Amino acid sequence: MGAPFLIALAAMALLSSLAIASDPSPLQDFCVAINDSKAAVFVNGKICKDPKVVTANDFFFQGFNIPGNTNNPVGSNVTRVLVNNLPGLNTFGISLARIDFAPYGVNTPHTHPRATEVIFAVEGTLAASFVTSNPPNNMKNRLFTKVLNPGDVFVFPQGLVHFIQNLGKTKALAFSGFSSQNPGVNTIANVVFGTEPPISLGVLTKAFQVDKKVIDALEAQFS
Ligand SMILES: *[C@@H]1O[C@H](CO)[C@@H](O)[C@H](O)[C@H]1NC(C)=O
Ligand SMILES: *[C@@H]1O[C@H](CO)[C@@H](O)[C@H](O)[C@H]1NC(C)=O
């Protein structure tokens, strides 16, 4: 083994340790987020509260036992505990959600640009699915689906389109953990058919290979 080989190995090790796919590691014990629009310095996250005035309540959230209201067109509701409502999460690369489902309700296809999600089924029977990103050579995107019963855990890889369907005629409940304090959500239907202003018909008729009337009908659902 020559020196150039060892240098290349060292460089690869350094690169892979730098290829962080989630939030950066914390640089202090904690950094409780504050809303300070006058803060002069932009940080990748939230400005830290002075540690001297931090209290236990900064690390505390209440009400996660309360179901979200699923009386809506999709029959599901996500209650999130992110850095915005639990400021002590700042810089820790983690957050939480509960997902309540009405009978046959759906947590519709979406992505989280900044997080992997691990879901824990607690009640009911759920089908959890995700789709791979575009494979090479015009192969089809692959759909993975698993039926989850209480006690089952499933993971949605970071950035991939995923969705969850309640297969049962009773309500269902799941909890999710995220590898980001602020995972972000792109709901496919909304980011395509519900933007302000709308994406041009020329783009959407080409993208979906349908008539303008079909796009008009879809956009009407999300306007
Ligand atoms: C920060 O501001 C947002 C938007 O005004 C508000 O919803 C949130 O409760 C605030 N968070 C804290 C910790 O004050
Ligand atoms: C989710 O539930 C909360 C709490 O009941 C409610 O305020 C909110 O409007 C619901 N969201 C949807 C999309 O139904």
Side-chain angles (χ1 to χ4, degrees), residues 163-187:
F163 49 96
I164 311 160
Q165 184 182 19
N166 179 4
L167 299 177
K169 57 175 191 266
T170 55
K171 65 189 168 70
L173 171 65
F175 290 93
S176 279
F178 299 90
S179 61
S180 169
Q181 66 182 34
N182 184 24
V185 186
N186 294 318
T187 301

Side-chain angles (χ1 to χ4, degrees), residues 36-202:
D36 186 357
S37 57
K38 295 193 291 289
V41 188
F42 177 83
V43 295
N44 185 17
K46 305 272 188 187
I47 308 291
C48 306
K49 191 172 184 175
D50 181 347
K52 288 194 288 294
V53 298
V54 165
T55 70
N57 278 339
D58 290 319
F59 305 97
F60 179 70
F61 178 90
Q62 228 173 355
F64 210 47
N65 57 326
I66 302 169
N69 181 357
T70 59
N71 187 14
N72 55 49
V74 295
S76 74
N77 192 314
V78 183
T79 305
R80 298 177 179 86
V81 184
L82 312 179
V83 69
N84 282 354
N85 50 9
L86 179 49
L89 284 180
N90 197 31
T91 75
F92 291 157
I94 194 167
S95 58
L96 204 58
R98 70 170 284 154
I99 314 165
D100 289 283
F101 295 88
Y104 306 112
V106 175
N107 176 239
T108 62
H110 62 280
T111 68
H112 301 292
R114 290 178 292 278
T116 300
E117 173 176 357
V118 57
I119 179 175
F120 167 45
V122 173
E123 187 185 339
T125 308
L126 297 168
S129 304
F130 70 84
V131 183
T132 62
S133 54
N134 299 0
N137 307 326
N138 291 326
M139 279 157 54
K140 297 230 181 261
N141 303 70
R142 214 169 141 202
L143 172 68
F144 291 88
T145 300
K146 188 74 190 164
V147 173
L148 306 182
N149 290 298
D152 292 348
V153 170
F154 192 69
V155 62
F156 299 122
Q158 175 158 359
L160 299 191
V161 172
H162 60 280
F163 49 96
I164 311 160
Q165 184 182 19
N166 179 4
L167 299 177
K169 57 175 191 266
T170 55
K171 65 189 168 70
L173 171 65
F175 290 93
S176 279
F178 299 90
S179 61
S180 169
Q181 66 182 34
N182 184 24
V185 186
N186 294 318
T187 301
I188 305 302
N190 297 69
V191 301
V192 177
F193 299 113
T195 62
E196 179 59 56
I199 297 177
S200 84
L201 276 175

